[in-house]
Amino acid sequence: MAEDVVTSVKDPRVVQARALQTRTQRIAAGRCVLEGRSLIEQVRAAEARLEVVLRAQGADTAEDDELAERLHQGEVAVHRVRDGVLRQVAGASRAVSWLAVAPLPAAVDPHLPWGEFALVCDGVADPGNLGTIVRSARALGVDDVVLTDLDTDLSSRRVLDASRGSVLDTRVRRFSSPRHMVAGLREAGFQIVATSPQGSHVQGLAPLDGRPVALVVGGETAGVSREVMDAADLLVTIPMAGQVESLNVGVAAGISMYELRTRMVLTVLTERIRGSLGRDISLTGRLIRDAFDHALREAAGLSSAQLTAVMVVAAEKRTPAAELRRDLGVGSDELDALIAPLNERGWLAPDGDGYTCTPAGEQALAALWPIHQQIEQSLLEDLSPDERISLRQLLSRVQHNATALLQQR
Ligand SMILES: C[S@@+](CC[C@H](N)C(=O)[O-])C[C@H]1O[C@@H](n2cnc3c(N)ncnc32)[C@H](O)[C@@H]1O
């Protein structure tokens, strides 16, 4: 069957595409036009919807056929169009081989929760820069792109081209002015970080505080607006070498998003590590050991591990080296180094594969015991008898779990 070819610019599908040339028309229709095979391919791959797809008769390379086949598989109809018609539709001076109509994303519900990372374009006007920024934002993990006016057009061919169609699946929120944007982002709990060639913080060292970050980039000429600069929590700068006044906003936005995203991840990790119970337990252990070590070193030139070794051996009369290693949490070499001074003092004596405590050792222990008691008392000073019992029970359970974990390995 001969293929049905659209030959007239009056064909309704052509008319629909043609009627989307101005922003007002696009907004009214809630649709935009995608021009060129590769852009249509990108949008199809991102699973955005394509409504009308027009393919010029002359577009007959293997790549054209492949795209047509993929669209066909996705049940998107492709209409062949006489050469020259698409050029008229697009108002282009060169040949246009593919054209498609796609719906614009619906306005974001203001009640939809914000993500952790927002990128604010405050007066960025150039469509190429806007598209580049949106494309980078998608790639660098930005959750929300924010505009500080109601007029910036993200549906033009240049924005769609530069963003490789990613504006169609980006969450874009608009405010009517920079002031409203600041109020909205404050209310949503953002730390507002404005960028400027004259910023007071070097961006890589800027003190992020763990709140969601709203990174603001400014217009090509005026930069970030005065209201936003005044209200921002931080003004950051990307250091520049040479006699360069500023970076292109698309380039600056890419650098800033990448660097701040990395910093945010590190900040969250640091917070998590700081807030982890495991870290608290290990910090507590280290502090307690340091407190004992300090007092014992002053009194007897010993460490807390050495005193514990004497205590364990004295209590058990004879202790195998393996058991002592386990009790002290040390390896063979460490145990040897730890026991050597106790041997020299004649407090512990080797006995086969273990140690016994000498009378001199028992005497020394008796003399040091009050110091040990005093430190322990100070450490537990604020805890009631019940709390001490609970603490011991909880610690013993954690020890049990840790031992089980080690045995699994
Ligand atoms: C061309 S610049 C604007 C220059 C304008 N005269 C100014 O002083 O802000 C456009 C935007 O790119 C970003 N930018 C450019 N260079 C930067 C730098 N060195 N550090 C941080 N941001 C920069 C800022 O967001 C700036 O508002």
Side-chain angles (χ1 to χ4, degrees):
M1 196 173 71
E3 197 177 24
D4 181 20
V5 177
V6 176
T7 54
S8 163
V9 288
K10 294 196 178 123
D11 181 278
R13 291 155 293 195
V14 175
V15 170
Q16 185 189 4
R18 210 176 171 184
L20 297 172
Q21 295 203 347
T22 66
R23 174 173 186 256
T24 315
Q25 289 171 322
R26 290 189 291 268
I27 300 296
R31 289 176 171 72
C32 63
V33 176
L34 309 174
E35 195 184 308
R37 188 182 65 225
S38 99
L39 182 55
I40 293 173
E41 176 63 75
Q42 296 263 340
V43 170
R44 186 205 66 83
E47 295 181 3
R49 197 149 59 87
L50 294 168
E51 290 179 339
V52 175
V53 181
L54 305 173
R55 173 187 178 187
Q57 271 187 305
D60 55 5
T61 64
E63 288 89 351
D64 292 314
D65 289 343
E66 276 167 31
L67 174 57
E69 180 53 29
R70 278 194 287 272
L71 290 168
H72 178 68
Q73 283 166 7
E75 298 185 359
V76 178
V78 177
H79 307 283
R80 295 306 290 258
V81 181
R82 182 169 52 78
D83 285 337
V85 170
L86 294 186
R87 182 158 58 88
Q88 274 180 277
V89 175
S93 52
R94 65 207 142 62
V96 175
S97 53
W98 286 82
L99 215 82
V101 173
L104 289 172
V108 175
D109 175 355
H111 300 296
L112 192 76
W114 289 78
E116 289 292 305
F117 192 20
L119 187 272
V120 183
C121 292
D122 182 24
V124 178
D126 180 81
N129 285 338
L130 282 165
T132 304
I133 292 170
V134 172
R135 182 178 177 184
S136 305
R138 289 292 289 155
L140 296 172
V142 164
D143 305 297
D144 295 277
V145 169
V146 181
L147 300 172
T148 58
D149 63 78
L150 301 178
D151 301 325
T152 298
D153 180 17
L154 294 185
S155 65
S156 70
R157 184 176 66 77
R158 284 190 60 205
V159 174
L160 285 160
D161 266 355
S163 78
R164 308 305 295 139
S166 54
V167 280
L168 297 182
D169 69 342
T170 296
R171 211 157 70 192
V172 179
R173 305 194 193 231
R174 285 179 189 267
F175 289 91
S176 55
S177 69
R179 189 167 55 81
H180 285 97
M181 179 277 290
V182 169
L185 293 186
R186 280 252 173 282
E187 195 186 322
F190 278 92
Q191 181 176 21
I192 299 177
V193 180
T195 55
S196 158
Q198 295 88 36
S200 47
H201 289 278
V202 171
Q203 181 176 273
L205 303 172
L208 299 183
D209 60 13
R211 277 184 284 166
V213 170
L215 173 72
V216 189
V217 293
E220 289 79 359
T221 312
V224 173
S225 54
R226 180 49 45 207
E227 298 102 297
V228 177
M229 297 281 261
D230 289 344
D233 296 298
L234 295 173
L235 292 183
V236 299
T237 195
I238 304 164
M240 296 177 293
Q243 296 301 309
V244 180
E245 191 239 335
S246 65
L247 297 168
N248 163 277
V249 62
V251 172
I255 296 172
S256 295
M257 285 187 269
Y258 177 75
E259 194 161 37
L260 288 194
R261 165 53 90 203
T262 310
R263 299 275 322 283
M264 283 169 71
V265 170
L266 290 178
T267 308
V268 170
L269 273 182
T270 314
E271 291 299 313
R272 291 239 167 104
I273 290 169
R274 285 217 178 104
S276 86
L277 198 55
R279 181 184 182 268
D280 281 347
I281 292 172
S282 105
L283 181 65
T284 310
R286 189 158 55 76
L287 287 171
I288 291 175
R289 206 175 41 245
D290 286 354
F292 275 112
D293 281 349
H294 183 73
L296 289 168
R297 203 152 268 131
E298 271 195 345
L302 284 182
S303 69
S304 56
Q306 286 168 321
L307 179 65
T308 308
V310 181
M311 277 162 45
V312 170
V313 179
E316 296 178 351
K317 304 297 177 211
R318 181 186 174 281
T319 307
E323 197 180 312
L324 207 47
R325 280 203 300 274
R326 205 184 48 240
D327 280 349
L328 299 176
V330 296
S332 303
D333 291 350
E334 271 177 288
L335 184 67
D336 290 348
L338 212 134
I339 298 286
L342 302 172
N343 261 328
E344 277 165 27
R345 293 179 187 210
W347 292 2
L348 291 188
D351 180 10
D353 63 351
Y355 300 95
T356 52
C357 184
T358 64
E362 285 173 2
Q363 251 179 16
L365 188 59
L368 290 174
W369 187 244
I371 298 176
H372 184 276
Q373 289 289 80
Q374 196 186 358
I375 297 167
E376 188 165 309
Q377 191 51 39
S378 307
L379 289 171
L380 301 176
E381 195 169 59
D382 307 334
L383 303 189
S384 70
D386 281 351
E387 283 174 331
R388 290 177 195 209
I389 292 170
S390 301
L391 180 62
R392 170 161 289 183
Q393 287 168 344
L394 292 173
L395 287 175
S396 138
R397 279 162 58 190
V398 176
Q399 283 162 15
H400 172 84
N401 292 342
T403 311
L405 198 64
L406 281 172
Q407 278 162 0
Q408 281 168 19
R409 314 231 147 212

